[in-house]
């Protein structure tokens, strides 16, 4: 199964963890309007974000590989 092409613009917070600010998904640039939720495992950081297209996404940062992955795309309940 092919996964969508994803690049993430992120910044390192005061603790050094990566937090997404914007991302490009299959050539479409989206701004992160809000980080709705975040959680962590030993090998990954997860972020549920509300993006500028009115949809929610779950992005995962692989701490070992230092790369981002799209885990889920959800239709947002808010209108932009």
């Amino acid at each position: 199964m092919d996964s969508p092409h994803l690049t993430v613009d992120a910044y390192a917070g005061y603790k050094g963890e990566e937090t997404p600010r914007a991302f490009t998904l299959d050539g479409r640039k989206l701004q992160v309007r809000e980080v709705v939720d975040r959680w962590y495992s030993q090998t990954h950081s997860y972020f549920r974000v509300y993006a500028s297209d009115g949809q929610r996404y779950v992005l995962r940062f692989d701490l070992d590989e230092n790369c981002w992955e799209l885990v889920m795309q959800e239709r947002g309940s808010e209108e932009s």
Side-chain angles (χ1 to χ4, degrees):
M1 174 173 89
D2 290 335
S3 59
H5 184 261
L6 175 73
T7 56
V8 177
D9 298 328
Y11 70 96
Y14 70 96
K15 292 182 180 178
E17 71 267 353
E18 294 287 323
T19 302
R21 300 183 85 170
F23 59 99
T24 303
L25 181 62
D26 288 332
R28 200 170 46 129
K29 178 90 172 191
L30 300 168
Q31 298 298 315
V32 173
R33 288 191 176 164
E34 179 183 1
V35 175
V36 179
D37 194 10
R38 66 179 75 203
W39 62 99
Y40 306 96
S41 72
Q42 296 230 345
T43 57
H44 295 88
S45 297
Y46 295 85
F47 298 88
R48 176 172 279 120
V49 300
Y50 178 63
S52 56
D53 66 350
Q55 296 193 48
R56 289 186 308 261
Y57 297 84
V58 176
L59 305 174
R60 175 172 68 187
F61 183 67
D62 186 314
L63 300 169
D64 295 329
E65 298 294 323
N66 199 33
C67 66
W68 288 92
E69 301 168 285
L70 175 66
V71 176
M72 185 184 308
Q73 180 177 353
E74 308 171 308
R75 177 170 292 256
S77 58
E78 299 178 32
E79 295 295 322
S80 35

